[in-house]
């Protein structure tokens, strides 16, 4: 099960530096000129979760395996991208293929690094990118809605179901608002219809404020403005210093803690970015544990036990019988599976059980 977050933004905001730090590679070039990134670079990164180590310690596991999320470094966008300016067409095609958008915004001053519009204003930068995405969506939906209206008038049931959602999306775009603002008030059926349209502005967004090293701990006026914008939109924002993250990526693990402390930080900013991206996609983690390994697995919130089993292997879902379930707090507090059973905290759940974040599961299935 793959979940992809696309790293986007204007040129020279620190996208590729962030990507390199995330993947701890130099796979993506980082240079001071527009369109340094042309083909999107992709990297799978482990999702930091302290619970994994805690469970493994009690289960006396030989190994731990984190769940993972994919980040895609996409070419920088410029004004006019929706009309093909710069690498606009390629940018828009690449962003359609991701599940969520990680929008990097420049929140630092540096005369040695050029800004494509000659000023530092992250809120305006965000609006530039959002406008291009909305213009692309508007063109797309205006083209498709004509045919849908004709089919709906002809009593086509699928078109009749899709048309109200398309018209609501069109109205928002014409009003200069992203389509994602519709999601909160939609029922499950309409959400599926909207998702099927694959509109760029329907994707969830995380704003990453790239600040100077001295602002990494507390942010600055630019990042505060972004946080206010995100709150108005119902989006999320995270403050990091890509320069610090690049340094951390090069350090031996034993030295990372001391370096973070010297910078006034308690954890790498990338950990917050990864976790926020995970939450953005409405994902949760469950665990399997034994002497060989403790492993974290990803499912969408609301997944039922057979679906969770299918993440491990499709045969587990097909032959699902039941899942032994222990909540994380019970597993840790009582000291493992055996103690949880003795305390009556290990439950056998069937096909309708909705998996909860942190569940420690053991599946029984037919071969």
């Amino acid at each position: 099960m793959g979940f992809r977050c696309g790293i986007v933004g204007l040129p020279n905001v620190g996208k590729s530096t962030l990507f390199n730090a995330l993947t701890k590679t130099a796979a993506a070039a980082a240079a001071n000129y527009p369109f340094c990134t042309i083909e999107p670079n992709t990297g799978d990164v482990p999702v930091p979760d302290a619970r994994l180590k805690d469970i493994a310690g009690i289960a006396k596991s030989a190994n731990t395996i984190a769940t993972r999320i994919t980040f895609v470094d996409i070419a920088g966008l410029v004004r006019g991208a929706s009309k093909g300016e710069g690498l606009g067409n390629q940018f828009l095609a690449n962003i359609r293929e991701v599940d969520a958008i990680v929008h990097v915004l420049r929140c630092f001053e540096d005369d040695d690094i050029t800004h494509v519009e000659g000023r530092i204003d992250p809120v305006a930068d965000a609006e530039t990118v959002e406008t291009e995405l909305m213009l692309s969506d508007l063109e797309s939906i205006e083209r498709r809605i004509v045919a849908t209206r004709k089919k709906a008038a002809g009593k086509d049931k699928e078109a009749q179901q899709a048309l109200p959602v398309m018209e609501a999306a069109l109205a928002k775009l014409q009003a200069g608002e992203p389509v994602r603002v519709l999601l909160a008030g939609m029922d499950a059926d309409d959400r599926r219809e909207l998702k099927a349209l694959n509109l760029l502005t329907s994707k969830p967004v995380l704003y990453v404020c790239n600040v100077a090293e001295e602002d990494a701990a507390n942010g600055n006026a630019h990042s505060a403005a972004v946080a206010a914008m995100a709150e108005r939109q119902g989006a999320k924002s995270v403050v990091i210093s890509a320069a610090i993250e690049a340094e951390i990526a090069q350090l031996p693990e034993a030295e990372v803690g001391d370096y973070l402390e010297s910078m006034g930080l308690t954890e790498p900013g990338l950990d917050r970015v990864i976790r926020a991206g995970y939450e953005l996609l409405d994902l949760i983690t469950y665990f399997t544990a034994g002497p060989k390994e403790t492993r974290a697995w990803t499912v969408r919130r609301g997944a039922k036990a057979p679906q969770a089993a299918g993440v491990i292997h499709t045969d587990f879902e097909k032959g699902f019988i039941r899942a032994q379930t222990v909540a994380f707090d019970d597993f840790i507090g009582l000291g493992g599976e055996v103690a949880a059973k003795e305390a009556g905290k290990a439950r056998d759940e069937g096909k309708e059980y909705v998996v909860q974040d942190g569940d420690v599961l053991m599946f029984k299935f037919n071969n």
Side-chain angles (χ1 to χ4, degrees), residues 233-265:
Q233 296 180 356
K236 294 184 178 183
S237 66
V238 173
V239 174
I240 70 158
S241 168
I244 288 177
E245 304 306 321
E247 287 289 334
I248 292 172
Q250 304 303 316
L251 290 175
E253 188 172 346
E255 297 179 16
V256 171
D258 289 340
Y259 178 75
L260 287 171
E261 186 177 354
S262 72
M263 303 302 295
L265 302 172

Side-chain angles (χ1 to χ4, degrees), residues 142-160 162-163 166-167:
E142 284 177 339
R143 186 175 63 250
R144 287 186 280 173
I145 202 168
V146 174
T148 304
R149 283 171 175 158
K150 287 181 180 178
K151 290 180 180 178
K155 308 302 181 184
D156 183 292
K157 290 185 178 180
E158 289 185 3
Q160 288 177 332
L163 185 58
M166 294 180 75
E167 289 181 333

Side-chain angles (χ1 to χ4, degrees), residues 128-147:
T128 295
V129 172
E130 189 85 291
T131 296
E132 295 303 325
L133 300 185
M134 285 192 290
L135 288 171
S136 177
D137 280 350
L138 189 59
E139 181 183 358
S140 171
I141 205 163
E142 284 177 339
R143 186 175 63 250
R144 287 186 280 173
I145 202 168
V146 174

Side-chain angles (χ1 to χ4, degrees), residues 176-198:
E177 296 182 74
V179 173
R180 75 181 71 90
V181 301
L182 291 169
L183 290 168
M186 284 184 160
D187 60 27
D189 289 339
D190 284 349
R191 280 172 171 261
R192 280 192 291 271
E193 290 290 343
L194 185 62
K195 185 175 180 181
L197 296 174
N198 197 27

